[in-house]
Amino acid sequence: MREALQRWAVKRVLNVSRAALSRAPTPERIRSLVARASPLIARRETYEASAPVAVGEAQARWVQATDAQASGVILYFHGGGFIAECRAVHDPLLAALGRAAGARGLMLDYRLAPEHPFPAAIDDCFAAWHFLLSSGIDPGRQRGCPVT
């Protein structure tokens, strides 16, 4: 019953947000809606996040579920269409993914458009990958799901 109620609530929040976005789909409006909706859809997860780390022209932080073993690394690019981000939603989600995968996560705060036009965010994503490689992370030794 509780899960059904949670699914209904999340679906309702998404539908209301979608309707609001269709009226004024500006980056400012999207960011405002994300900030208002995030407390309603964020996971409850205990985790630790590091201080910001410089990754090229962007910032990143390590996120790890509290009391979880982490032998691997997840490079996580949050959603938001390169114009919005919400730590309240994505940090606990990454912590939960890391707990399930036995990994810590690197959350990239890529530069957002339109303040930073294309290809800034894409460049930041590549910089994060190169940051991990230069840090000694061996992608061949990481566990992962096979691509089918």
Side-chain angles (χ1 to χ4, degrees):
M1 178 68 169
R2 183 172 185 226
E3 288 181 20
L5 182 58
Q6 286 175 330
R7 281 194 303 274
W8 175 86
V10 167
K11 190 174 183 178
R12 182 74 178 131
V13 166
L14 292 174
N15 286 337
V16 168
S17 297
R18 193 175 299 121
L21 287 173
S22 68
R23 290 191 301 273
T26 64
E28 295 79 18
R29 180 84 171 142
I30 292 169
R31 292 171 186 165
S32 172
L33 288 169
V34 166
R36 288 197 327 243
S38 64
L40 304 172
I41 60 174
R43 286 184 65 91
R44 288 184 173 79
E45 181 74 38
T46 57
Y47 63 92
E48 298 169 8
S50 74
V53 177
V55 175
E57 295 185 50
Q59 297 285 312
R61 65 194 168 282
W62 290 101
V63 175
Q64 184 172 345
T66 305
D67 301 326
Q69 297 296 325
S71 60
V73 172
I74 297 171
L75 176 56
Y76 187 90
F77 303 129
H78 62 77
F82 295 114
I83 60 169
E85 66 89 20
C86 184
R87 289 185 67 174
V89 171
H90 294 287
D91 282 4
L93 176 60
L94 178 55
L97 290 170
R99 181 184 304 283
R104 62 188 174 135
L106 183 67
M107 171 73 71
L108 177 66
D109 291 328
Y110 48 74
R111 293 171 291 163
L112 301 175
E115 296 87 355
H116 301 279
F118 178 83
I122 304 300
D123 292 342
D124 294 343
C125 293
F126 279 110
W129 174 250
H130 291 291
F131 169 81
L132 288 177
L133 293 177
S134 68
S135 298
I137 302 296
D138 181 1
R141 296 194 34 99
Q142 300 301 310
R143 294 182 298 160
C145 298
V147 177
T148 57

